Amino acid sequence: MEEKQKYSNIRDGQFGKEGYGNDEIIAEGQILDWTDRLFLLVQPGDARKLELWPTNPNSLRYVLHEYTMKTKKLVENVLKTAAKSLELNEDFFVSHLGDKFPMFARFNYYPCCLKPDLVFGLKPHSDGPLITVILPEKDVEGLQVLKDGEWIKVTTSPDAFIFNIGDQMEIMSNGIFKSPVHRVVTFSDKDRISIAMFCANLPEKVIGPADELVNDMRPRMYKNLKVKYYFEVFSQMFLQGKRAIDWAHV
Ligand SMILES: O=C(O)CCC(=O)C(=O)O
Ligand SMILES: [Fe+2]
């Protein structure tokens, strides 16, 4: 416990986004997730808060750096394919992101729970950034996606990543790609771990639907929004269990 507290997301009584710990508590009775998590900015390199990067195990810094670089390459390739599938220039998403886009790593540990019906490992939410790369536990399922009012299990496959579309992608694709509501359930007899890498546009960028995807058949669905502002709204709404994307509609 002491080791974890060295990296706590509460410093001098102030809640910080990065570090070890659960969500900020903003309301009495707010339901917290059944999870232990560490959240770190991993990209751009010069903005890392290394004092929050655990030194045990010793290899973590090196491995996380390598993992970040490889995830970046992978994401760029996937984003090129995604742009092509929308008949946009293949660099559409990649050029918006630029080279120094923010990437965050979230290490999720969901302990087993004697009353799994009463808690979520992670409550229903959508991801705010552009795209998330999830490395799930090899053989413990737990992630579920809401589709047409039903919760569908996301199956895992050894050595496969899960790519999740985030709100920024839904906005930029004018709603063609959907940012799904998803949640993580717990089990009475199994723990689960996952690593989620969130890739976002720079806070000062303004994003909106691609011009090519707005036409008479498909009118503009979302406002143009400054990313920083969207995140402020997102954080508040997330804690209240609401979706920021509903607020972003024109
Ligand atoms: O643990 C998972 O599989 C999903 C994690 C997730 O949705 C998140 O961290 O936003
Ligand atoms: Fe998520």
Side-chain angles (χ1 to χ4, degrees), residues 212-247:
E212 297 87 330
L213 302 177
V214 177
N215 50 48
D216 291 344
M217 302 286 288
R218 194 169 186 94
R220 162 183 282 270
M221 286 179 69
Y222 300 101
K223 309 177 219 180
N224 284 347
L225 300 152
K226 193 174 213 175
V227 170
K228 193 160 94 178
Y229 187 42
Y230 187 73
F231 270 122
E232 281 166 20
V233 175
F234 183 93
S235 309
Q236 289 306 309
M237 294 186 85
F238 172 79
L239 294 175
Q240 297 166 40
K242 296 186 195 152
R243 295 198 68 190
I245 195 109
D246 296 332
W247 163 90

PDB file of all heavy atoms in Angstrom, residues 212-247:
ATOM      1  N   GLU A 212     -15.622  16.974 -45.926  1.00  0.00           N
ATOM      2  CA  GLU A 212     -16.024  15.987 -46.953  1.00  0.00           C
ATOM      3  C   GLU A 212     -17.165  15.086 -46.463  1.00  0.00           C
ATOM      4  O   GLU A 212     -17.799  14.414 -47.273  1.00  0.00           O
ATOM      5  CB  GLU A 212     -14.842  15.065 -47.315  1.00  0.00           C
ATOM      6  CG  GLU A 212     -13.636  15.740 -47.931  1.00  0.00           C
ATOM      7  CD  GLU A 212     -12.645  16.281 -46.896  1.00  0.00           C
ATOM      8  OE1 GLU A 212     -13.071  16.660 -45.772  1.00  0.00           O
ATOM      9  OE2 GLU A 212     -11.450  16.339 -47.218  1.00  0.00           O
ATOM     10  N   LEU A 213     -17.368  15.032 -45.149  1.00  0.00           N
ATOM     11  CA  LEU A 213     -18.391  14.113 -44.625  1.00  0.00           C
ATOM     12  C   LEU A 213     -19.688  14.835 -44.243  1.00  0.00           C
ATOM     13  O   LEU A 213     -20.579  14.255 -43.624  1.00  0.00           O
ATOM     14  CB  LEU A 213     -17.836  13.351 -43.409  1.00  0.00           C
ATOM     15  CG  LEU A 213     -16.567  12.529 -43.685  1.00  0.00           C
ATOM     16  CD1 LEU A 213     -16.063  11.876 -42.402  1.00  0.00           C
ATOM     17  CD2 LEU A 213     -16.815  11.468 -44.751  1.00  0.00           C
ATOM     18  N   VAL A 214     -19.735  16.128 -44.612  1.00  0.00           N
ATOM     19  CA  VAL A 214     -20.964  16.897 -44.354  1.00  0.00           C
ATOM     20  C   VAL A 214     -21.601  17.198 -45.703  1.00  0.00           C
ATOM     21  O   VAL A 214     -20.945  17.775 -46.577  1.00  0.00           O
ATOM     22  CB  VAL A 214     -20.639  18.221 -43.614  1.00  0.00           C
ATOM     23  CG1 VAL A 214     -21.905  19.045 -43.404  1.00  0.00           C
ATOM     24  CG2 VAL A 214     -19.953  17.944 -42.278  1.00  0.00           C
ATOM     25  N   ASN A 215     -22.824  16.794 -45.905  1.00  0.00           N
ATOM     26  CA  ASN A 215     -23.510  17.075 -47.170  1.00  0.00           C
ATOM     27  C   ASN A 215     -25.033  17.041 -46.929  1.00  0.00           C
ATOM     28  O   ASN A 215     -25.476  16.853 -45.796  1.00  0.00           O
ATOM     29  CB  ASN A 215     -23.083  16.063 -48.250  1.00  0.00           C
ATOM     30  CG  ASN A 215     -23.201  14.635 -47.739  1.00  0.00           C
ATOM     31  OD1 ASN A 215     -24.227  14.264 -47.174  1.00  0.00           O
ATOM     32  ND2 ASN A 215     -22.139  13.843 -47.907  1.00  0.00           N
ATOM     33  N   ASP A 216     -25.786  17.219 -48.019  1.00  0.00           N
ATOM     34  CA  ASP A 216     -27.246  17.284 -47.856  1.00  0.00           C
ATOM     35  C   ASP A 216     -27.803  15.991 -47.265  1.00  0.00           C
ATOM     36  O   ASP A 216     -28.751  15.997 -46.485  1.00  0.00           O
ATOM     37  CB  ASP A 216     -27.923  17.530 -49.220  1.00  0.00           C
ATOM     38  CG  ASP A 216     -27.600  18.935 -49.714  1.00  0.00           C
ATOM     39  OD1 ASP A 216     -27.141  19.748 -48.878  1.00  0.00           O
ATOM     40  OD2 ASP A 216     -27.789  19.199 -50.918  1.00  0.00           O
ATOM     41  N   MET A 217     -27.186  14.874 -47.668  1.00  0.00           N
ATOM     42  CA  MET A 217     -27.657  13.579 -47.179  1.00  0.00           C
ATOM     43  C   MET A 217     -27.273  13.367 -45.712  1.00  0.00           C
ATOM     44  O   MET A 217     -27.920  12.620 -45.001  1.00  0.00           O
ATOM     45  CB  MET A 217     -27.008  12.434 -47.983  1.00  0.00           C
ATOM     46  CG  MET A 217     -27.247  12.469 -49.460  1.00  0.00           C
ATOM     47  SD  MET A 217     -28.923  11.962 -49.782  1.00  0.00           S
ATOM     48  CE  MET A 217     -28.778  10.215 -49.428  1.00  0.00           C
ATOM     49  N   ARG A 218     -26.145  13.972 -45.342  1.00  0.00           N
ATOM     50  CA  ARG A 218     -25.637  13.765 -43.983  1.00  0.00           C
ATOM     51  C   ARG A 218     -25.274  15.122 -43.379  1.00  0.00           C
ATOM     52  O   ARG A 218     -24.104  15.535 -43.396  1.00  0.00           O
ATOM     53  CB  ARG A 218     -24.392  12.863 -44.068  1.00  0.00           C
ATOM     54  CG  ARG A 218     -24.012  12.345 -42.748  1.00  0.00           C
ATOM     55  CD  ARG A 218     -22.987  11.267 -42.759  1.00  0.00           C
ATOM     56  NE  ARG A 218     -22.898  10.834 -41.385  1.00  0.00           N
ATOM     57  CZ  ARG A 218     -23.580   9.821 -40.875  1.00  0.00           C
ATOM     58  NH1 ARG A 218     -24.337   9.089 -41.631  1.00  0.00           N
ATOM     59  NH2 ARG A 218     -23.490   9.527 -39.598  1.00  0.00           N
ATOM     60  N   PRO A 219     -26.254  15.823 -42.867  1.00  0.00           N
ATOM     61  CA  PRO A 219     -25.957  17.161 -42.320  1.00  0.00           C
ATOM     62  C   PRO A 219     -24.980  17.085 -41.147  1.00  0.00           C
ATOM     63  O   PRO A 219     -24.819  16.018 -40.539  1.00  0.00           O
ATOM     64  CB  PRO A 219     -27.320  17.669 -41.844  1.00  0.00           C
ATOM     65  CG  PRO A 219     -28.331  16.724 -42.375  1.00  0.00           C
ATOM     66  CD  PRO A 219     -27.643  15.442 -42.727  1.00  0.00           C
ATOM     67  N   ARG A 220     -24.364  18.221 -40.875  1.00  0.00           N
ATOM     68  CA  ARG A 220     -23.403  18.312 -39.768  1.00  0.00           C
ATOM     69  C   ARG A 220     -24.066  17.875 -38.459  1.00  0.00           C
ATOM     70  O   ARG A 220     -25.122  18.371 -38.089  1.00  0.00           O
ATOM     71  CB  ARG A 220     -22.942  19.763 -39.698  1.00  0.00           C
ATOM     72  CG  ARG A 220     -22.300  20.182 -38.416  1.00  0.00           C
ATOM     73  CD  ARG A 220     -21.967  21.659 -38.476  1.00  0.00           C
ATOM     74  NE  ARG A 220     -20.757  21.847 -39.269  1.00  0.00           N
ATOM     75  CZ  ARG A 220     -19.531  21.836 -38.737  1.00  0.00           C
ATOM     76  NH1 ARG A 220     -19.372  21.655 -37.445  1.00  0.00           N
ATOM     77  NH2 ARG A 220     -18.489  22.009 -39.488  1.00  0.00           N
ATOM     78  N   MET A 221     -23.435  16.938 -37.766  1.00  0.00           N
ATOM     79  CA  MET A 221     -24.034  16.446 -36.508  1.00  0.00           C
ATOM     80  C   MET A 221     -23.431  17.085 -35.254  1.00  0.00           C
ATOM     81  O   MET A 221     -24.028  17.046 -34.185  1.00  0.00           O
ATOM     82  CB  MET A 221     -23.852  14.929 -36.410  1.00  0.00           C
ATOM     83  CG  MET A 221     -24.768  14.166 -37.347  1.00  0.00           C
ATOM     84  SD  MET A 221     -24.494  12.400 -37.207  1.00  0.00           S
ATOM     85  CE  MET A 221     -25.122  12.049 -35.575  1.00  0.00           C
ATOM     86  N   TYR A 222     -22.173  17.592 -35.395  1.00  0.00           N
ATOM     87  CA  TYR A 222     -21.490  18.104 -34.192  1.00  0.00           C
ATOM     88  C   TYR A 222     -20.939  19.496 -34.428  1.00  0.00           C
ATOM     89  O   TYR A 222     -20.557  19.853 -35.543  1.00  0.00           O
ATOM     90  CB  TYR A 222     -20.333  17.162 -33.792  1.00  0.00           C
ATOM     91  CG  TYR A 222     -20.833  15.788 -33.500  1.00  0.00           C
ATOM     92  CD1 TYR A 222     -20.720  14.769 -34.436  1.00  0.00           C
ATOM     93  CD2 TYR A 222     -21.497  15.525 -32.308  1.00  0.00           C
ATOM     94  CE1 TYR A 222     -21.246  13.511 -34.195  1.00  0.00           C
ATOM     95  CE2 TYR A 222     -22.025  14.273 -32.058  1.00  0.00           C
ATOM     96  CZ  TYR A 222     -21.891  13.275 -33.004  1.00  0.00           C
ATOM     97  OH  TYR A 222     -22.426  12.040 -32.766  1.00  0.00           O
ATOM     98  N   LYS A 223     -20.844  20.252 -33.326  1.00  0.00           N
ATOM     99  CA  LYS A 223     -20.253  21.591 -33.374  1.00  0.00           C
ATOM    100  C   LYS A 223     -18.742  21.468 -33.553  1.00  0.00           C
ATOM    101  O   LYS A 223     -18.167  20.410 -33.249  1.00  0.00           O
ATOM    102  CB  LYS A 223     -20.459  22.314 -32.030  1.00  0.00           C
ATOM    103  CG  LYS A 223     -21.859  22.330 -31.508  1.00  0.00           C
ATOM    104  CD  LYS A 223     -21.857  23.022 -30.133  1.00  0.00           C
ATOM    105  CE  LYS A 223     -22.801  22.310 -29.197  1.00  0.00           C
ATOM    106  NZ  LYS A 223     -22.984  22.739 -27.885  1.00  0.00           N
ATOM    107  N   ASN A 224     -18.092  22.558 -33.956  1.00  0.00           N
ATOM    108  CA  ASN A 224     -16.625  22.621 -33.870  1.00  0.00           C
ATOM    109  C   ASN A 224     -16.294  22.945 -32.422  1.00  0.00           C
ATOM    110  O   ASN A 224     -16.906  23.840 -31.831  1.00  0.00           O
ATOM    111  CB  ASN A 224     -16.079  23.726 -34.785  1.00  0.00           C
ATOM    112  CG  ASN A 224     -16.094  23.290 -36.237  1.00  0.00           C
ATOM    113  OD1 ASN A 224     -16.269  22.112 -36.540  1.00  0.00           O
ATOM    114  ND2 ASN A 224     -15.927  24.237 -37.128  1.00  0.00           N
ATOM    115  N   LEU A 225     -15.330  22.207 -31.854  1.00  0.00           N
ATOM    116  CA  LEU A 225     -15.051  22.350 -30.420  1.00  0.00           C
ATOM    117  C   LEU A 225     -13.563  22.396 -30.142  1.00  0.00           C
ATOM    118  O   LEU A 225     -12.796  21.654 -30.763  1.00  0.00           O
ATOM    119  CB  LEU A 225     -15.575  21.113 -29.674  1.00  0.00           C
ATOM    120  CG  LEU A 225     -17.052  20.828 -29.779  1.00  0.00           C
ATOM    121  CD1 LEU A 225     -17.304  19.355 -29.642  1.00  0.00           C
ATOM    122  CD2 LEU A 225     -17.766  21.596 -28.701  1.00  0.00           C
ATOM    123  N   LYS A 226     -13.184  23.242 -29.193  1.00  0.00           N
ATOM    124  CA  LYS A 226     -11.789  23.215 -28.754  1.00  0.00           C
ATOM    125  C   LYS A 226     -11.634  21.976 -27.871  1.00  0.00           C
ATOM    126  O   LYS A 226     -12.438  21.749 -26.953  1.00  0.00           O
ATOM    127  CB  LYS A 226     -11.471  24.476 -27.976  1.00  0.00           C
ATOM    128  CG  LYS A 226     -10.016  24.672 -27.760  1.00  0.00           C
ATOM    129  CD  LYS A 226      -9.747  26.004 -27.114  1.00  0.00           C
ATOM    130  CE  LYS A 226      -8.435  26.535 -27.613  1.00  0.00           C
ATOM    131  NZ  LYS A 226      -8.122  27.844 -27.157  1.00  0.00           N
ATOM    132  N   VAL A 227     -10.583  21.183 -28.146  1.00  0.00           N
ATOM    133  CA  VAL A 227     -10.394  19.903 -27.455  1.00  0.00           C
ATOM    134  C   VAL A 227     -10.334  20.096 -25.928  1.00  0.00           C
ATOM    135  O   VAL A 227     -10.959  19.358 -25.158  1.00  0.00           O
ATOM    136  CB  VAL A 227      -9.119  19.207 -27.980  1.00  0.00           C
ATOM    137  CG1 VAL A 227      -8.750  18.012 -27.132  1.00  0.00           C
ATOM    138  CG2 VAL A 227      -9.323  18.801 -29.440  1.00  0.00           C
ATOM    139  N   LYS A 228      -9.598  21.137 -25.527  1.00  0.00           N
ATOM    140  CA  LYS A 228      -9.431  21.398 -24.096  1.00  0.00           C
ATOM    141  C   LYS A 228     -10.790  21.604 -23.412  1.00  0.00           C
ATOM    142  O   LYS A 228     -11.061  21.061 -22.343  1.00  0.00           O
ATOM    143  CB  LYS A 228      -8.593  22.671 -23.955  1.00  0.00           C
ATOM    144  CG  LYS A 228      -8.064  22.944 -22.594  1.00  0.00           C
ATOM    145  CD  LYS A 228      -6.898  23.889 -22.673  1.00  0.00           C
ATOM    146  CE  LYS A 228      -7.330  25.318 -22.494  1.00  0.00           C
ATOM    147  NZ  LYS A 228      -6.178  26.231 -22.538  1.00  0.00           N
ATOM    148  N   TYR A 229     -11.635  22.349 -24.083  1.00  0.00           N
ATOM    149  CA  TYR A 229     -12.946  22.669 -23.543  1.00  0.00           C
ATOM    150  C   TYR A 229     -13.805  21.394 -23.486  1.00  0.00           C
ATOM    151  O   TYR A 229     -14.511  21.138 -22.516  1.00  0.00           O
ATOM    152  CB  TYR A 229     -13.571  23.762 -24.410  1.00  0.00           C
ATOM    153  CG  TYR A 229     -14.859  24.307 -23.860  1.00  0.00           C
ATOM    154  CD1 TYR A 229     -14.990  24.577 -22.496  1.00  0.00           C
ATOM    155  CD2 TYR A 229     -15.944  24.558 -24.695  1.00  0.00           C
ATOM    156  CE1 TYR A 229     -16.177  25.064 -21.985  1.00  0.00           C
ATOM    157  CE2 TYR A 229     -17.126  25.043 -24.184  1.00  0.00           C
ATOM    158  CZ  TYR A 229     -17.247  25.286 -22.835  1.00  0.00           C
ATOM    159  OH  TYR A 229     -18.426  25.762 -22.338  1.00  0.00           O
ATOM    160  N   TYR A 230     -13.707  20.589 -24.550  1.00  0.00           N
ATOM    161  CA  TYR A 230     -14.470  19.342 -24.578  1.00  0.00           C
ATOM    162  C   TYR A 230     -14.089  18.461 -23.384  1.00  0.00           C
ATOM    163  O   TYR A 230     -14.951  17.868 -22.734  1.00  0.00           O
ATOM    164  CB  TYR A 230     -14.242  18.574 -25.896  1.00  0.00           C
ATOM    165  CG  TYR A 230     -15.147  17.375 -26.013  1.00  0.00           C
ATOM    166  CD1 TYR A 230     -16.500  17.555 -26.270  1.00  0.00           C
ATOM    167  CD2 TYR A 230     -14.674  16.084 -25.817  1.00  0.00           C
ATOM    168  CE1 TYR A 230     -17.361  16.466 -26.344  1.00  0.00           C
ATOM    169  CE2 TYR A 230     -15.527  14.999 -25.895  1.00  0.00           C
ATOM    170  CZ  TYR A 230     -16.867  15.190 -26.153  1.00  0.00           C
ATOM    171  OH  TYR A 230     -17.716  14.118 -26.205  1.00  0.00           O
ATOM    172  N   PHE A 231     -12.790  18.403 -23.083  1.00  0.00           N
ATOM    173  CA  PHE A 231     -12.340  17.560 -21.967  1.00  0.00           C
ATOM    174  C   PHE A 231     -12.844  18.062 -20.619  1.00  0.00           C
ATOM    175  O   PHE A 231     -13.159  17.270 -19.743  1.00  0.00           O
ATOM    176  CB  PHE A 231     -10.825  17.420 -21.955  1.00  0.00           C
ATOM    177  CG  PHE A 231     -10.385  16.238 -22.766  1.00  0.00           C
ATOM    178  CD1 PHE A 231      -9.527  16.388 -23.834  1.00  0.00           C
ATOM    179  CD2 PHE A 231     -10.872  14.972 -22.479  1.00  0.00           C
ATOM    180  CE1 PHE A 231      -9.152  15.299 -24.603  1.00  0.00           C
ATOM    181  CE2 PHE A 231     -10.517  13.874 -23.238  1.00  0.00           C
ATOM    182  CZ  PHE A 231      -9.646  14.037 -24.304  1.00  0.00           C
ATOM    183  N   GLU A 232     -12.933  19.390 -20.497  1.00  0.00           N
ATOM    184  CA  GLU A 232     -13.453  19.917 -19.223  1.00  0.00           C
ATOM    185  C   GLU A 232     -14.900  19.455 -19.040  1.00  0.00           C
ATOM    186  O   GLU A 232     -15.289  18.983 -17.975  1.00  0.00           O
ATOM    187  CB  GLU A 232     -13.392  21.451 -19.214  1.00  0.00           C
ATOM    188  CG  GLU A 232     -11.998  21.967 -18.911  1.00  0.00           C
ATOM    189  CD  GLU A 232     -11.836  23.435 -19.232  1.00  0.00           C
ATOM    190  OE1 GLU A 232     -12.836  24.168 -19.329  1.00  0.00           O
ATOM    191  OE2 GLU A 232     -10.665  23.851 -19.414  1.00  0.00           O
ATOM    192  N   VAL A 233     -15.686  19.591 -20.114  1.00  0.00           N
ATOM    193  CA  VAL A 233     -17.083  19.161 -20.044  1.00  0.00           C
ATOM    194  C   VAL A 233     -17.139  17.648 -19.831  1.00  0.00           C
ATOM    195  O   VAL A 233     -17.887  17.142 -18.993  1.00  0.00           O
ATOM    196  CB  VAL A 233     -17.829  19.551 -21.349  1.00  0.00           C
ATOM    197  CG1 VAL A 233     -19.250  19.000 -21.354  1.00  0.00           C
ATOM    198  CG2 VAL A 233     -17.850  21.060 -21.511  1.00  0.00           C
ATOM    199  N   PHE A 234     -16.298  16.918 -20.557  1.00  0.00           N
ATOM    200  CA  PHE A 234     -16.280  15.452 -20.483  1.00  0.00           C
ATOM    201  C   PHE A 234     -16.033  15.003 -19.038  1.00  0.00           C
ATOM    202  O   PHE A 234     -16.742  14.146 -18.514  1.00  0.00           O
ATOM    203  CB  PHE A 234     -15.201  14.887 -21.409  1.00  0.00           C
ATOM    204  CG  PHE A 234     -15.178  13.386 -21.441  1.00  0.00           C
ATOM    205  CD1 PHE A 234     -15.897  12.689 -22.406  1.00  0.00           C
ATOM    206  CD2 PHE A 234     -14.453  12.659 -20.497  1.00  0.00           C
ATOM    207  CE1 PHE A 234     -15.899  11.301 -22.424  1.00  0.00           C
ATOM    208  CE2 PHE A 234     -14.460  11.282 -20.504  1.00  0.00           C
ATOM    209  CZ  PHE A 234     -15.176  10.596 -21.477  1.00  0.00           C
ATOM    210  N   SER A 235     -15.007  15.585 -18.404  1.00  0.00           N
ATOM    211  CA  SER A 235     -14.635  15.127 -17.053  1.00  0.00           C
ATOM    212  C   SER A 235     -15.792  15.298 -16.082  1.00  0.00           C
ATOM    213  O   SER A 235     -16.088  14.398 -15.292  1.00  0.00           O
ATOM    214  CB  SER A 235     -13.446  15.918 -16.507  1.00  0.00           C
ATOM    215  OG  SER A 235     -12.437  15.918 -17.448  1.00  0.00           O
ATOM    216  N   GLN A 236     -16.452  16.449 -16.150  1.00  0.00           N
ATOM    217  CA  GLN A 236     -17.569  16.688 -15.239  1.00  0.00           C
ATOM    218  C   GLN A 236     -18.717  15.724 -15.523  1.00  0.00           C
ATOM    219  O   GLN A 236     -19.296  15.145 -14.605  1.00  0.00           O
ATOM    220  CB  GLN A 236     -18.071  18.143 -15.380  1.00  0.00           C
ATOM    221  CG  GLN A 236     -17.097  19.168 -14.813  1.00  0.00           C
ATOM    222  CD  GLN A 236     -16.721  18.869 -13.363  1.00  0.00           C
ATOM    223  OE1 GLN A 236     -17.583  18.670 -12.509  1.00  0.00           O
ATOM    224  NE2 GLN A 236     -15.425  18.797 -13.077  1.00  0.00           N
ATOM    225  N   MET A 237     -19.025  15.539 -16.813  1.00  0.00           N
ATOM    226  CA  MET A 237     -20.161  14.683 -17.159  1.00  0.00           C
ATOM    227  C   MET A 237     -19.862  13.211 -16.856  1.00  0.00           C
ATOM    228  O   MET A 237     -20.727  12.469 -16.418  1.00  0.00           O
ATOM    229  CB  MET A 237     -20.558  14.901 -18.624  1.00  0.00           C
ATOM    230  CG  MET A 237     -21.101  16.310 -18.807  1.00  0.00           C
ATOM    231  SD  MET A 237     -21.751  16.663 -20.425  1.00  0.00           S
ATOM    232  CE  MET A 237     -23.417  16.069 -20.354  1.00  0.00           C
ATOM    233  N   PHE A 238     -18.594  12.808 -17.071  1.00  0.00           N
ATOM    234  CA  PHE A 238     -18.188  11.421 -16.793  1.00  0.00           C
ATOM    235  C   PHE A 238     -18.445  11.082 -15.325  1.00  0.00           C
ATOM    236  O   PHE A 238     -18.998  10.025 -14.999  1.00  0.00           O
ATOM    237  CB  PHE A 238     -16.703  11.242 -17.134  1.00  0.00           C
ATOM    238  CG  PHE A 238     -16.124   9.921 -16.703  1.00  0.00           C
ATOM    239  CD1 PHE A 238     -16.346   8.780 -17.454  1.00  0.00           C
ATOM    240  CD2 PHE A 238     -15.358   9.818 -15.545  1.00  0.00           C
ATOM    241  CE1 PHE A 238     -15.821   7.552 -17.059  1.00  0.00           C
ATOM    242  CE2 PHE A 238     -14.832   8.606 -15.137  1.00  0.00           C
ATOM    243  CZ  PHE A 238     -15.063   7.474 -15.901  1.00  0.00           C
ATOM    244  N   LEU A 239     -18.055  11.996 -14.455  1.00  0.00           N
ATOM    245  CA  LEU A 239     -18.216  11.732 -13.022  1.00  0.00           C
ATOM    246  C   LEU A 239     -19.689  11.635 -12.629  1.00  0.00           C
ATOM    247  O   LEU A 239     -20.054  11.004 -11.644  1.00  0.00           O
ATOM    248  CB  LEU A 239     -17.500  12.807 -12.197  1.00  0.00           C
ATOM    249  CG  LEU A 239     -15.969  12.819 -12.327  1.00  0.00           C
ATOM    250  CD1 LEU A 239     -15.371  13.997 -11.574  1.00  0.00           C
ATOM    251  CD2 LEU A 239     -15.350  11.521 -11.823  1.00  0.00           C
ATOM    252  N   GLN A 240     -20.541  12.267 -13.440  1.00  0.00           N
ATOM    253  CA  GLN A 240     -21.984  12.193 -13.148  1.00  0.00           C
ATOM    254  C   GLN A 240     -22.669  11.075 -13.939  1.00  0.00           C
ATOM    255  O   GLN A 240     -23.899  10.974 -13.958  1.00  0.00           O
ATOM    256  CB  GLN A 240     -22.654  13.514 -13.525  1.00  0.00           C
ATOM    257  CG  GLN A 240     -22.166  14.707 -12.733  1.00  0.00           C
ATOM    258  CD  GLN A 240     -22.607  16.023 -13.384  1.00  0.00           C
ATOM    259  OE1 GLN A 240     -23.718  16.146 -13.871  1.00  0.00           O
ATOM    260  NE2 GLN A 240     -21.713  16.989 -13.424  1.00  0.00           N
ATOM    261  N   GLY A 241     -21.833  10.282 -14.662  1.00  0.00           N
ATOM    262  CA  GLY A 241     -22.394   9.168 -15.438  1.00  0.00           C
ATOM    263  C   GLY A 241     -23.129   9.639 -16.687  1.00  0.00           C
ATOM    264  O   GLY A 241     -24.006   8.947 -17.204  1.00  0.00           O
ATOM    265  N   LYS A 242     -22.795  10.865 -17.182  1.00  0.00           N
ATOM    266  CA  LYS A 242     -23.470  11.373 -18.401  1.00  0.00           C
ATOM    267  C   LYS A 242     -22.494  11.425 -19.561  1.00  0.00           C
ATOM    268  O   LYS A 242     -21.287  11.381 -19.360  1.00  0.00           O
ATOM    269  CB  LYS A 242     -23.999  12.791 -18.137  1.00  0.00           C
ATOM    270  CG  LYS A 242     -25.061  12.856 -17.084  1.00  0.00           C
ATOM    271  CD  LYS A 242     -25.601  14.271 -17.017  1.00  0.00           C
ATOM    272  CE  LYS A 242     -26.396  14.487 -15.744  1.00  0.00           C
ATOM    273  NZ  LYS A 242     -26.361  15.882 -15.309  1.00  0.00           N
ATOM    274  N   ARG A 243     -23.010  11.589 -20.787  1.00  0.00           N
ATOM    275  CA  ARG A 243     -22.146  11.590 -21.977  1.00  0.00           C
ATOM    276  C   ARG A 243     -21.945  13.000 -22.528  1.00  0.00           C
ATOM    277  O   ARG A 243     -22.919  13.707 -22.825  1.00  0.00           O
ATOM    278  CB  ARG A 243     -22.766  10.725 -23.065  1.00  0.00           C
ATOM    279  CG  ARG A 243     -22.855   9.272 -22.700  1.00  0.00           C
ATOM    280  CD  ARG A 243     -23.049   8.447 -23.930  1.00  0.00           C
ATOM    281  NE  ARG A 243     -21.844   8.477 -24.779  1.00  0.00           N
ATOM    282  CZ  ARG A 243     -21.801   8.005 -26.011  1.00  0.00           C
ATOM    283  NH1 ARG A 243     -22.882   7.493 -26.562  1.00  0.00           N
ATOM    284  NH2 ARG A 243     -20.683   8.047 -26.709  1.00  0.00           N
ATOM    285  N   ALA A 244     -20.678  13.377 -22.729  1.00  0.00           N
ATOM    286  CA  ALA A 244     -20.374  14.710 -23.263  1.00  0.00           C
ATOM    287  C   ALA A 244     -20.764  14.807 -24.735  1.00  0.00           C
ATOM    288  O   ALA A 244     -21.065  15.890 -25.223  1.00  0.00           O
ATOM    289  CB  ALA A 244     -18.891  15.007 -23.088  1.00  0.00           C
ATOM    290  N   ILE A 245     -20.768  13.707 -25.446  1.00  0.00           N
ATOM    291  CA  ILE A 245     -21.047  13.757 -26.886  1.00  0.00           C
ATOM    292  C   ILE A 245     -22.476  14.264 -27.138  1.00  0.00           C
ATOM    293  O   ILE A 245     -22.738  14.916 -28.144  1.00  0.00           O
ATOM    294  CB  ILE A 245     -20.781  12.382 -27.549  1.00  0.00           C
ATOM    295  CG1 ILE A 245     -20.708  12.498 -29.070  1.00  0.00           C
ATOM    296  CG2 ILE A 245     -21.809  11.341 -27.174  1.00  0.00           C
ATOM    297  CD1 ILE A 245     -19.352  12.316 -29.634  1.00  0.00           C
ATOM    298  N   ASP A 246     -23.370  14.005 -26.208  1.00  0.00           N
ATOM    299  CA  ASP A 246     -24.745  14.497 -26.375  1.00  0.00           C
ATOM    300  C   ASP A 246     -24.759  16.027 -26.354  1.00  0.00           C
ATOM    301  O   ASP A 246     -25.535  16.664 -27.056  1.00  0.00           O
ATOM    302  CB  ASP A 246     -25.656  13.953 -25.261  1.00  0.00           C
ATOM    303  CG  ASP A 246     -25.759  12.435 -25.338  1.00  0.00           C
ATOM    304  OD1 ASP A 246     -25.611  11.894 -26.449  1.00  0.00           O
ATOM    305  OD2 ASP A 246     -25.961  11.792 -24.287  1.00  0.00           O
ATOM    306  N   TRP A 247     -23.858  16.590 -25.573  1.00  0.00           N
ATOM    307  CA  TRP A 247     -23.756  18.045 -25.457  1.00  0.00           C
ATOM    308  C   TRP A 247     -23.095  18.636 -26.713  1.00  0.00           C
ATOM    309  O   TRP A 247     -23.333  19.785 -27.068  1.00  0.00           O
ATOM    310  CB  TRP A 247     -22.954  18.338 -24.178  1.00  0.00           C
ATOM    311  CG  TRP A 247     -22.405  19.708 -24.083  1.00  0.00           C
ATOM    312  CD1 TRP A 247     -23.031  20.795 -23.535  1.00  0.00           C
ATOM    313  CD2 TRP A 247     -21.130  20.163 -24.532  1.00  0.00           C
ATOM    314  NE1 TRP A 247     -22.224  21.881 -23.636  1.00  0.00           N
ATOM    315  CE2 TRP A 247     -21.042  21.522 -24.239  1.00  0.00           C
ATOM    316  CE3 TRP A 247     -20.051  19.543 -25.163  1.00  0.00           C
ATOM    317  CZ2 TRP A 247     -19.936  22.291 -24.539  1.00  0.00           C
ATOM    318  CZ3 TRP A 247     -18.938  20.303 -25.470  1.00  0.00           C
ATOM    319  CH2 TRP A 247     -18.888  21.652 -25.161  1.00  0.00           C
TER     320      TRP A 247
END
